[in-house]
Amino acid sequence: MYNLSTYFEYWVLNHKAGFVRDKTLAKYKTTGSWLKRLETEIPISKLSKSNYQKIIRLYSQVHSHKTVMNFHRQIRASILDAYDDGIIQKDFTRKVF
């Protein structure tokens, strides 16, 4: 199944590509590349809030608060769709920060 970065990449291709400006799409792709660097090999269906919080903490060590918020917002949007599609059973991004 998917891990977080592969699901996010799939989600960007299917839900954002062709619907957002090129500049916005580039931001989503940057988020995806950071996810690949920071995530563990845990399948998305097994991720917990604490696993996700670790990713956010690592990202926040080298980025401003505003950039971290945008990173989180983009990931959260994809996770809400994963939840709606039944790929995950709960939203592990809820109340993170």
Side-chain angles (χ1 to χ4, degrees), residues 13-85:
L13 290 173
N14 287 289
H15 295 273
K16 296 300 176 183
F19 299 104
V20 297
R21 294 178 301 160
D22 289 342
K23 184 176 181 178
T24 303
L25 188 59
K27 290 177 183 179
Y28 280 107
K29 288 184 178 186
T30 299
T31 295
S33 68
W34 271 100
L35 273 177
K36 284 180 186 178
R37 286 186 245 174
L38 299 174
E39 76 177 334
T40 60
E41 291 300 315
I42 301 171
I44 193 172
S45 60
K46 304 282 187 205
L47 273 175
S48 67
K49 187 176 290 210
S50 62
N51 298 131
Y52 180 68
Q53 183 69 56
K54 287 177 188 176
I55 293 169
I56 295 297
R57 276 208 184 97
L58 288 170
Y59 189 77
S60 71
Q61 290 175 356
V62 292
H63 292 88
S64 71
H65 180 74
K66 181 180 177 183
T67 303
V68 174
M69 292 299 293
N70 289 335
F71 179 77
H72 168 65
R73 193 174 300 117
Q74 289 179 354
I75 296 167
R76 182 165 166 71
S78 73
I79 294 308
L80 291 175
D81 282 342
Y83 178 76
D84 289 346
D85 290 341

Side-chain angles (χ1 to χ4, degrees), residues 3-14 32 35-36:
N3 61 14
L4 183 55
S5 66
T6 55
Y7 179 78
F8 185 80
E9 185 176 285
Y10 160 82
W11 178 81
V12 168
L13 290 173
N14 287 289
L35 273 177
K36 284 180 186 178

